[in-house]
Amino acid sequence: MKELKVGIIGFGTVGAGVASCLLKNAGVIEKRTGVKTVLTRIADLDITSDRGVQVPDGILTTSVKELIDVCDIVVELIGGTTKSKEFILEALKKGKTVVTANKALLAEHGEELFRTAEANHVTVHYEASVAGGIPIIKSLREGFVGNRINRIYGILNGTCNYIFTRMEREKLGFQDVLTDAQRLGYAEANPSLDIDGFDTAHKAAILASLAYGKWFGMKPVYVEGIRNVSLEEIRNAEELGYKVKLLAIIKKDEKDAVEIRVHPTLVPEESPIAGISDVFNGVMVNGDFVGNTLFYGRGAGREATASAVVSDIVDAALNLANGCPERLQSFREGALYSELIPMSDIESRYYLRITVEDKPGVLGKIATLLSNYNVSISSLMQRNRNSEEEVSIIILTHMALESEVQKAVRMINQFPEVKSPINLIRIEDL
Amino acid sequence: MKELKVGIIGFGTVGAGVASCLLKNAGVIEKRTGVKTVLTRIADLDITSDRGVQVPDGILTTSVKELIDVCDIVVELIGGTTKSKEFILEALKKGKTVVTANKALLAEHGEELFRTAEANHVTVHYEASVAGGIPIIKSLREGFVGNRINRIYGILNGTCNYIFTRMEREKLGFQDVLTDAQRLGYAEANPSLDIDGFDTAHKAAILASLAYGKWFGMKPVYVEGIRNVSLEEIRNAEELGYKVKLLAIIKKDEKDAVEIRVHPTLVPEESPIAGISDVFNGVMVNGDFVGNTLFYGRGAGREATASAVVSDIVDAALNLANGCPERLQSFREGALYSELIPMSDIESRYYLRITVEDKPGVLGKIATLLSNYNVSISSLMQRNRNSEEEVSIIILTHMALESEVQKAVRMINQFPEVKSPINLIRIEDL
């Protein structure tokens, strides 16, 4: 039986999970595949702290160089985009197959890594970079290989989904939930990467690239985080039959033009994606043959991420053991789209909450202005606020052009009767 | 670029779907993988009827032998277990890679096919045999390769799920919905394979085999169909917070003993699997690292099945093009369980509906008898029927032993006060 030597760079949470999975389930993997994945080295600056995993003697090292030299499969789990990139490039140049969970690195430097892998006749595997334990990369690349991808909707950040779920269930404000989430370890001390949408955007860039055959990077991804979604928005959405989710939206139109965007989104409460709550992730893929599919599971965490990393390790091991290290390239260029649609040109439905003085004529003024920008109203709800002189007008629009809506919003914000900037959330009827 | 010749045996609904997918999306596949999958032959007894797909001249043939000779990848889509088996064995013996969607054949004769494939250094691929377009076979074998599988719950038959969904929504009886489903083409003229649970059982046998490393066949699978689930059961379930689903249940206990069963099941209405309605399929997999995951999509139909068949064709093509035809064996024996639990020894919760004469003392008699068999009641509901003298007693039990429950049911059925045999449905709290 063929043995493959596996080295893990980074003995943090995920690194410890991968080590634990490889050690606990080596027998399972061997029975299923006929290859042995042997944990041979773990490199970290700190090789003395207890990570709760009993590793074999002599495998801990502080030398990444030595790890790369002795291992067949190099697993990068240190995160960041500097050292990690350096280590991966070094491993690839030495002809080692690489596994990584590093979405930021891939989104930003994927092309360079893939080019280096190709030049050295090896591959980079990255199942764990999107949606944790859900095998979405494999499903997109292999399971749906015969499909043109029409749409992908993803809830890809557990922290944001957890915050929305708690706001909704406990009727708490954004900041209160965030603070509590930080206390409980569901949000980072510096939560920006998650709540400002960048983490989701990295993952959206990867999924879009796989769907449309071009490594897009972050540039074409429109990103808006969740800081401005107040409890009032969540309550109003609920009353209108929607839930609020931070959604990655990847779509192509009839002319094969593609849009990639990440922003808070109202989704119909009866849609399967609305039912994905707490820290769970979910991805909906629509292909021209497969139709609608949905995947649901843990998007992060030591164990779920380890499951994905180990599936990559085994894929790599099967390739190496069978003499086909490049069976499926890390990524293959070949555009399956016509052009990218800039954010200003997308069309969507919109939720607008406008806080105005309670005076006659205001509503008419707003409706007229929206209509001047070809924004037509599909429903309207008026709410008295605590203050007697203010009311909230909640408008849902029909499909409208983003640039027109933004112009209309800017104009309305300048009305003297408007008391605070409009809250705008896009609607996706899935 | 490497070209692989693909031959389809059986130009029926799925065959036409696969042909259409290969023809329409050949360019997509080529861009994504670097291999060309060329539709080279389609064999059928009838090569003149219009299937709505424009195929290249000269590829239709009535000779399966000729197809096998000229193609690299042979796709069996005729169904049944006689001719299909013969053709597959012939192809394998000639060193051809085989793709099939034939769950009945696999469940019953998988071992022989896999042995023959191994002896000839090729493989059999069968993604489309379970849950149509959902890549559940690939996910189980590859995505979750590093996990011990604790549980699989599957809604695997679209016809049954469609019938339950309509009974529930339209408050119609089983027979009415079945007749209408037959008229609409959602149920076969002879619906037994679907509604008596055998189709689900074939799929359960395949999933269990992949999870536990032993090709089980149909023998250890307990099967119960949906004919006896009346509208009254569905209504009562709803009132109690459950939905009725035909569920494939595959579980292992702490001692690694495995149970495989298919029967109507009450599932909590808030569980994600309860939300899978109409003809959709859904599979929940729990692995020791990945935790709970759920897959959802179309389980049947020309296009969705074609998507799965084509993913197998591409997998096979990548193996052949890269000189690793046996990269992942069709199936690899290697038991990951200790023993099979016979149905009589399983433990479950139960829903029992007992129609009795409305006389004092009956309830006490029933409760005492259940208690004698260690069946304890978790909740109880009494219902007046149309007739004044009859009432329905609906009992939900705590966990109890199947054999004891069955004995108790037999005893209670003999009470003179009991007017018709007890309706029993197992409950799974997921």
Side-chain angles (χ1 to χ4, degrees), chain A residues 3-290:
Chain A
E3 278 192 24
L4 283 305
K5 295 195 176 73
V6 180
I8 299 172
I9 306 175
F11 202 19
T13 305
V14 176
V18 173
S20 148
C21 186
L22 282 177
L23 292 168
K24 184 180 168 210
N25 289 348
V28 174
I29 293 166
E30 196 182 315
K31 282 191 178 173
R32 288 197 180 126
T33 62
V35 299
K36 274 192 176 170
T37 46
V38 184
L39 181 57
T40 304
R41 286 290 183 280
I42 301 175
D44 203 287
L45 295 175
D46 166 10
I47 56 171
T48 52
S49 298
D50 182 17
R51 272 83 168 189
V53 192
Q54 182 66 44
V55 301
D57 285 345
I59 73 165
L60 287 170
T61 176
T62 53
S63 165
V64 170
K65 193 182 169 309
E66 198 252 336
L67 177 149
I68 293 174
D69 284 335
V70 302
C71 291
D72 307 298
I73 299 165
V74 174
V75 184
E76 180 276 309
L77 298 171
I78 55 172
T81 54
T82 315
K83 276 279 161 201
S84 58
K85 186 180 165 197
E86 205 176 283
F87 292 150
I88 290 177
L89 289 175
E90 191 185 334
L92 293 172
K93 284 174 187 160
K94 288 192 172 158
K96 309 298 170 130
T97 299
V98 168
V99 174
T100 178
N102 197 329
K103 49 235 145 208
L105 179 64
L106 286 164
E108 285 166 27
H109 302 288
E111 280 189 300
E112 186 183 347
L113 303 185
F114 301 153
R115 244 193 342 263
T116 310
E118 216 179 317
N120 293 279
H121 304 292
V122 286
T123 46
V124 179
H125 300 247
Y126 43 95
E127 181 63 67
S129 66
V130 183
I134 303 172
I136 187 62
I137 304 268
K138 186 174 271 293
S139 295
L140 254 185
R141 301 187 72 190
E142 305 177 35
F144 303 145
V145 67
N147 288 263
R148 284 166 210 266
I149 304 301
N150 296 318
R151 292 181 292 283
I152 301 175
Y153 295 114
I155 295 176
L156 301 174
N157 184 278
T159 303
C160 292
N161 210 40
Y162 174 84
I163 290 174
F164 281 153
T165 303
R166 284 198 57 194
M167 287 172 74
E168 189 188 301
R169 285 195 193 140
E170 300 168 36
K171 311 293 172 215
L172 293 171
F174 173 77
Q175 195 53 55
D176 293 341
V177 176
L178 174 60
T179 307
D180 204 47
Q182 286 171 316
R183 192 181 58 79
L184 294 165
Y186 289 126
E188 305 281 344
N190 176 357
S192 173
L193 190 63
D194 294 317
I195 68 175
D196 292 325
F198 300 114
D199 174 75
T200 301
H202 288 143
K203 294 164 180 169
I206 294 171
L207 293 181
S209 302
L210 292 171
Y212 298 117
K214 161 85 189 155
W215 204 258
F216 290 114
M218 290 293 285
K219 213 183 276 172
V221 186
Y222 173 82
V223 193
E224 204 182 293
I226 67 168
R227 287 187 201 262
N228 295 324
V229 178
S230 68
L231 179 59
E232 194 162 346
E233 264 57 73
I234 288 181
R235 281 181 156 162
N236 290 338
E238 212 166 1
E239 203 161 316
L240 294 158
Y242 291 91
K243 297 214 174 202
V244 186
K245 298 288 175 189
L246 180 66
L247 210 61
I249 299 174
I250 300 159
K251 284 204 278 197
K252 106 178 150 51
D253 66 15
E254 321 78 61
K255 290 173 184 158
D256 289 343
V258 166
E259 58 192 72
I260 314 170
R261 47 192 167 104
V262 171
H263 51 67
T265 310
L266 261 58
V267 297
E269 63 183 0
E270 71 279 6
S271 68
I273 215 150
I276 294 161
S277 41
D278 297 304
V279 295
F280 279 88
N281 277 201
V283 188
M284 213 198 93
V285 179
N286 179 287
D288 61 345
F289 277 81
V290 76

Side-chain angles (χ1 to χ4, degrees), chain B residues 293-309:
Chain B
T293 62
L294 182 85
F295 300 77
Y296 164 98
R298 287 193 179 273
R302 188 179 125 130
E303 272 77 21
T305 310
S307 169
V309 169

